[in-house]
Amino acid sequence: MSCIRSLVAVSLIASVGFSTAVTAQEMISDTTARKQPLTTWGVQFEEFEYRYSDDDEELGVWNADAFYGTDDFKVRLLTTGEYEIEEQAYETLENQLVGQIPISKFFDAKAGVRFDTPEGPDRTYAVLGVAGLAPQWFEVDANLYVSDEGETSAELDAEYELLLTNYWILAATLDATVAFSEDREIGVGKGLVSTEAGLRLRYDLVDRAFSPYVGVVHEQKYGDTADFAETGGGSTEDWFAVIGARIAF
Amino acid sequence: MKPRFLTGLLSLLMPAMVLAGEYDLTVDRVKIDTGDFVKEGIGYNGASPGPVMRFKEGETVKINVTNNLDEMTSIHWHGLILPFNQDGVPGISFPGIKPGETFTYEFPIQQAGTYWFHSHSGFQEPDGAYGAIVIEPEGREPFRYDREFVVQLTDKHPHSGDRIMRNLKMMPDYYNREQQTVGEFFSDASKNGLMNTVRDRMAWGDMRMMKADVEDLQGFTGLINGKGPDQNWTGLFEPGERIRLRFINSSAMTYFDIRIPGLDMTVVQADGNNVQPVNVDEFRIGVAETYDVIVHPKDEQAYTIFAESMGRSGYARATLAPEEGMEAAVPQLRDPARLTMADMSGMPGMDHGSMAGMDHGGMDMGSSEDMSGMDHSSMEGMDHSNMDSMDHSNMEGMDHGSMTMGKEDKSDPFYAKGSGLMPKAANGGKFLSYADLKAQDPLYEDREPTREIELRLTGNMERYTWSINGVKYEDADPIRLKYGERVRFKFVNETMMTHPMHLHGMWSILDVGAGQWNPIKHTVSVNPGTTVYMETEVDAPGQWAFHCHLSYHAAAGMFRKVIVEGGPDSTQAKTDAIAEDGGEV
């Protein structure tokens, strides 16, 4: 049965003009998009919020990144800003442009530049970092900075998301900055500089594209940095109530 | 020489014998209304799904495909045996069909059964470019029916394929809304104890793997023949008739568990090929597979065709009824599927020592009643240190032995022992296994394979990269086969997802341990933590696609080109030339 079937098949092919000679000449190489590295992009505002402090200070704050690239190489723009609404001035404004490559299953290495253009003197830094997913689902982002003044510092960001339900998500964040040398002009002392801890309860309203949240943020300055702040009439510790949205597109 | 003589002889007779059917298909932008949402998509002859193409075995078909889109398109005839340049894969079979162009496919129909067709360009298939193929056999069929329906399933998502791919790349859990929550932690803790639950969560967190990672793409509406659950596609019958249902899973990503409460189903065909009839209560249909079943409703009542997604995030529903408008109860979705450590057992580089420990934790968590009687103390007494040197197969064997606990073993050998995906019939009855599939009339003589090719199915969920042997298609050399050989493919699934592997152009003889009665398929589903073998008689010259049929896995790199070298006449010369060029560039 099977033998007969294949003979019929062969004869059919031969008789209706699908000579293998013709087909062979049409063997082509794959130049379609499928054979190219998949290029993708994304924009994410992890934080886009209004902050109200225990000192009646009002801030507009964002923390966003945009990327473009392939699995093997991405360009990423990270931007963070704190804008004092009453004084109409930036408290901080950081922009980073980094290239990113995978170095392990869960981690990427980053290298690039960071431009700080807040009030006061500008700073440009070289950036070297790793970012990825640590065991137990901690998103971590660790960076080493060397400024154009030669000062070095490091920053560690960690985030953990607790799923109260599949739509109500409690996100805990901790950012810590350490300076290995003093940069008096921008009010940075040696040692642990500052921490920012946040707790935000969000609801995924539109897919994961638009998720409004409320939360609290605690900022603390330490050591010499705290002293510099106090001397300058600033605060060393702030509590904020925040309201905002996480946006991704 | 004998075949050639016969060929000549037959070709003289051919003009009288050949039945030529000519068909027209247009590729169009269409509106798709699922009942839950309306979206723009792609269809054929103005609709998605496209028409049912009805061919006859033995005829030669001519199909004129006109591209009315503003982008390239293509049609792949899924499961059909045909010359490679008619297979419709851009970049492998042919360049594709340009906007405004009409391309004429022409090939002989050498088989019978239920198949389907779809675009092989970009994400046009998930966007709606698919339809059914029914081929009437030359001879008599070994089963009887009075009426037939195509039951074509898909997982229609409000987002376009391009957007889904980008979202998955940006956040791999973008569409996963069945993740474990705080609530589930407490319910597990009250069921299994706090420490066991903490240990379980830590074990999974340590791997950065989610038990809930069963369906990458949730939020779809299951469609049957283009109708959503509320639109309720209905097939009319007269009580007492035998009805042949031609199930086709045209989903981008979704496996469905199908049952018709109140009716036994007799599976008579898988992937277009007759199998020895198997009576089942429920079956799982992998993406791109087809199953033909016969049902025999005797009562004047409606029956629900209920197709629940494997991860239980969605469903499709249709009705068989004696009269329009009649309907039967629609069952509730069962609890979301949860992977177990058994599903992870294929992962390389895992610490076996800790895995053994974890495995028990995972099993404790299982909701399966099979495990409730498990003797924990004896399990803990197991010598974990020895497990480092043990290979997986032994280990699975061990778990298996200790888990079934003397109850009747209903576990499917095509799933890892203790797998969270192990199918179970909703009514406690028979669930179809690959192991039940035996060819009705084997197409090929059984013979020893000439060689084995191992294909590890690999990926990284966090990066949403998918590959074969750790290499994505963009970086891969083609797989070279020799015309006339019989290759044994060994699929080793090292991921935690199920992959429906589809070889174009040649049959996949699935090894179910039945020797010459092994069934032939075009799509072979490989479950997490398992190894599956299939053999292929390399009888089709040219170059072919070979890939995971989950749309976003294929696009992410779980894809290969297969080149069949040699074969009749001058194909040899050309493939040699390609080989000298170093293959594809």
Side-chain angles (χ1 to χ4, degrees):
Chain A
M1 166 69 194
S2 58
C3 181
I4 290 166
R5 209 155 149 185
S6 62
L7 275 179
V8 169
V10 166
S11 57
L12 273 170
I13 291 170
S15 60
V16 293
F18 297 103
S19 100
T20 44
V22 172
T23 61
Q25 273 163 26
E26 288 164 15
M27 299 256 279
I28 53 175
S29 67
D30 193 348
T31 54
T32 62
R34 186 195 307 122
K35 191 64 180 157
Q36 315 303 320
L38 182 75
T39 305
T40 186
W41 60 275
V43 178
Q44 223 176 315
F45 282 80
E46 198 69 48
E47 292 161 15
F48 185 78
E49 66 196 22
Y50 167 82
R51 289 187 186 179
Y52 187 85
S53 85
D54 50 351
D55 290 338
D56 299 332
E57 191 187 14
E58 289 178 272
L59 294 175
V61 175
W62 75 88
N63 183 357
D65 76 282
F67 73 91
Y68 177 86
T70 65
D71 291 335
D72 297 326
F73 182 73
K74 286 184 187 69
V75 175
R76 195 177 282 272
L77 174 73
L78 298 109
T79 167
T80 307
E82 293 186 6
Y83 185 77
E84 281 185 45
I85 294 169
E86 215 157 281
E87 292 171 32
Q88 301 197 336
Y90 285 106
E91 198 164 278
T92 59
L93 181 58
E94 264 184 51
N95 290 292
Q96 282 189 37
L97 188 67
V98 295
Q100 188 174 336
I101 55 163
I103 49 166
S104 75
K105 197 171 171 188
F106 293 102
F107 281 89
D108 283 355
K110 304 186 292 182
V113 286
R114 165 181 150 194
F115 304 100
D116 279 18
T117 50
E119 284 185 293
D122 294 353
R123 284 285 181 272
T124 303
Y125 301 83
V127 184
L128 206 60
V130 289
L133 185 66
Q136 308 305 335
W137 306 103
F138 287 94
E139 290 273 3
V140 297
D141 186 350
N143 292 287
L144 197 65
Y145 303 110
V146 182
S147 80
D148 50 355
E149 304 283 309
E151 317 300 345
T152 54
S153 57
E155 192 178 351
L156 176 77
D157 294 1
E159 186 186 358
Y160 184 83
E161 291 187 346
L162 188 68
L163 273 65
L164 302 178
T165 74
N166 266 290
Y167 292 85
W168 285 101
I169 295 162
L170 187 65
T173 56
L174 177 68
D175 300 357
T177 307
V178 175
F180 301 110
S181 51
E182 185 180 291
D183 189 344
R184 187 82 192 243
E185 269 186 89
I186 56 169
V188 168
K190 195 175 169 183
L192 181 61
V193 175
S194 61
T195 56
E196 182 184 305
L199 205 57
R200 292 174 180 81
L201 177 66
R202 73 167 190 261
Y203 181 77
D204 286 348
L205 195 63
V206 181
D207 300 324
R208 294 193 199 272
F210 182 72
S211 313
Y213 61 76
V214 293
V216 287
V217 170
H218 176 250
E219 280 183 3
Q220 172 93 55
K221 293 187 173 74
Y222 301 88
D224 290 347
T225 310
D227 295 344
F228 298 151
E230 252 167 16
T231 315
S235 62
T236 59
E237 184 181 8
D238 291 296
W239 283 93
F240 297 94
V242 306
I243 181 164
R246 185 177 185 262
I247 299 162
F249 55 87
Chain B
M1 286 307 101
K2 197 179 164 201
R4 197 164 291 171
F5 167 73
L6 268 176
T7 303
L9 191 70
L10 278 171
S11 60
L12 286 174
L13 302 170
M14 250 341 130
M17 286 171 63
V18 168
L19 301 153
E22 189 159 351
Y23 306 84
D24 295 308
L25 281 176
T26 57
V27 190
D28 308 302
R29 293 235 161 252
V30 298
K31 280 247 174 313
I32 298 172
D33 179 3
T34 67
D36 293 338
F37 57 89
V38 180
K39 68 174 288 197
E40 183 162 292
I42 296 172
Y44 295 112
N45 294 355
S48 171
V52 177
M53 305 290 280
R54 290 186 180 271
F55 302 147
K56 284 196 180 70
E57 186 178 4
E59 75 171 330
T60 290
V61 294
K62 211 171 163 180
I63 307 159
N64 307 305
V65 179
T66 303
N67 182 3
N68 292 332
L69 308 177
D70 53 8
E71 62 191 54
M72 295 284 281
T73 194
S74 57
I75 295 183
H76 165 59
W77 314 97
H78 189 110
L80 265 55
I81 299 301
L82 36 63
F84 86 90
N85 60 359
Q86 302 298 305
D87 194 47
V89 182
I92 293 181
S93 326
F94 76 143
I97 309 172
K98 292 194 194 79
E101 193 182 82
T102 298
F103 180 88
T104 301
Y105 288 88
E106 192 172 343
F107 50 86
I109 300 293
Q110 318 167 38
Q111 63 202 111
T114 306
Y115 302 90
W116 61 299
F117 63 96
H118 59 83
S119 169
H120 225 287
S121 301
F123 296 113
Q124 292 175 358
E125 181 217 304
D127 288 347
Y130 67 94
I133 298 173
V134 170
I135 308 175
E136 189 186 307
E138 274 176 329
R140 252 202 333 196
E141 292 190 278
F143 42 84
R144 208 162 56 73
Y145 57 94
D146 308 299
R147 192 185 285 274
E148 62 163 292
F149 294 112
V150 166
V151 183
Q152 194 165 20
L153 296 132
T154 197
D155 51 355
K156 184 52 60 190
H157 201 280
H159 292 174
S160 73
D162 284 321
R163 183 158 167 215
I164 291 167
M165 186 79 220
R166 198 170 67 75
N167 281 340
L168 288 170
K169 276 290 191 184
M170 186 166 64
M171 283 182 239
D173 67 343
Y174 192 95
Y175 295 104
N176 192 339
R177 297 290 183 177
E178 288 190 344
Q179 298 180 39
Q180 292 188 297
T181 61
V182 173
E184 188 169 332
F185 177 87
F186 286 114
S187 69
D188 282 357
S190 70
K191 209 162 39 191
N192 307 303
L194 180 66
M195 283 324 288
N196 279 337
T197 307
V198 169
R199 260 201 301 273
D200 172 68
R201 294 298 192 274
M202 296 289 280
W204 287 83
D206 193 49
M207 295 190 300
R208 286 154 280 186
M209 296 282 170
M210 290 196 298
K211 277 182 161 184
D213 198 0
V214 177
E215 287 173 352
D216 294 348
L217 183 63
Q218 300 171 12
F220 57 85
T221 297
L223 303 187
I224 288 179
N225 299 337
K227 302 279 188 222
D230 296 335
Q231 298 165 329
N232 190 22
W233 179 87
T234 301
L236 298 180
F237 68 89
E238 309 243 335
E241 283 181 328
R242 283 173 199 277
I243 309 167
R244 175 182 192 171
L245 301 173
R246 300 174 180 269
F247 285 97
I248 305 168
N249 188 355
S250 301
S251 295
M253 294 297 282
T254 306
Y255 279 53
F256 285 102
D257 289 352
I258 297 171
R259 64 189 198 264
I260 309 176
L263 291 180
D264 287 339
M265 298 184 281
T266 306
V267 177
V268 294
Q269 219 177 63
D271 288 6
N273 294 286
N274 293 334
V275 294
Q276 296 172 22
V278 194
N279 292 325
V280 301
D281 293 283
E282 194 168 339
F283 65 95
R284 178 167 291 174
I285 186 166
V287 170
E289 288 185 320
T290 76
Y291 285 99
D292 285 37
V293 311
I294 289 178
V295 293
H296 190 186
K298 298 186 187 71
D299 300 326
E300 181 99 18
Q301 67 160 90
Y303 298 91
T304 295
I305 299 173
F306 192 60
E308 222 176 336
S309 75
M310 181 167 73
R312 313 298 184 223
S313 73
Y315 67 97
R317 168 248 186 163
T319 298
L320 294 175
E323 269 173 63
E324 196 69 56
M326 285 177 75
E327 48 185 74
V330 180
Q332 293 285 308
L333 284 171
R334 286 169 276 184
D335 287 339
R338 294 283 181 248
L339 299 175
T340 67
M341 283 296 165
D343 297 304
M344 302 290 130
S345 61
M347 296 218 169
M350 274 186 37
D351 179 333
H352 292 186
S354 68
M355 186 172 137
M358 286 190 298
D359 209 352
H360 301 165
M363 287 201 275
D364 289 345
M365 298 311 127
S367 56
S368 160
E369 56 271 31
D370 291 354
M371 296 179 215
S372 56
M374 206 158 71
D375 184 353
H376 291 183
S377 60
S378 73
M379 300 272 299
E380 260 137 36
M382 237 158 53
D383 188 354
H384 292 182
S385 59
N386 285 342
M387 299 201 62
D388 289 308
S389 58
M390 258 165 58
D391 69 28
H392 285 154
S393 56
N394 287 344
M395 194 167 136
E396 280 160 15
M398 216 164 83
D399 285 347
H400 185 39
S402 50
M403 280 184 56
T404 46
M405 289 295 152
K407 287 194 185 173
E408 190 198 350
D409 184 3
K410 275 190 187 167
S411 66
D412 183 331
F414 280 84
Y415 290 81
K417 305 292 181 270
S419 167
L421 300 178
M422 186 75 74
K424 255 191 197 165
N427 65 356
K430 169 69 184 168
F431 202 108
L432 183 73
S433 162
Y434 269 0
D436 299 321
L437 299 176
K438 310 268 188 318
Q440 173 79 243
D441 180 17
L443 180 61
Y444 298 104
E445 296 277 322
D446 193 30
R447 61 165 174 145
E448 280 297 304
T450 46
R451 63 177 165 135
E452 182 175 293
I453 295 177
E454 183 177 270
L455 299 175
R456 291 179 297 111
L457 309 179
T458 45
N460 181 335
M461 186 66 198
E462 278 305 313
R463 297 185 183 281
Y464 212 74
T465 56
W466 301 99
S467 51
I468 293 172
N469 293 335
V471 182
K472 290 182 287 187
Y473 178 60
E474 64 197 59
D475 303 316
D477 291 328
I479 297 170
R480 291 176 182 277
L481 306 180
K482 298 240 177 321
Y483 184 88
E485 68 176 337
R486 181 179 174 119
V487 175
R488 184 170 173 84
F489 289 101
K490 178 185 186 183
F491 293 115
V492 182
N493 190 346
E494 294 185 353
T495 74
M496 68 305 180
M497 303 218 77
T498 309
H499 303 288
M501 300 303 295
H502 171 45
L503 172 62
H504 290 220
M506 292 166 280
W507 289 112
S508 300
I509 308 167
L510 172 64
D511 187 352
V512 300
Q516 65 162 323
W517 306 104
N518 280 336
I520 58 174
K521 297 185 92 264
H522 48 63
T523 306
V524 167
S525 184
V526 187
N527 290 303
T530 66
T531 297
V532 173
Y533 295 90
M534 72 172 204
E535 293 178 10
T536 292
E537 287 285 356
V538 182
D539 55 2
Q543 52 186 14
W544 304 95
F546 188 10
H547 58 97
C548 173
H549 217 284
L550 302 182
S551 296
Y552 307 102
H553 289 193
M558 198 176 257
F559 195 107
R560 282 294 184 273
K561 178 161 96 174
V562 169
I563 294 178
V564 175
E565 296 174 335
D569 305 334
S570 51
T571 309
Q572 184 63 56
K574 185 59 189 172
T575 43
D576 284 352
I578 284 177
E580 278 165 30
D581 293 346
E584 54 184 286
V585 184

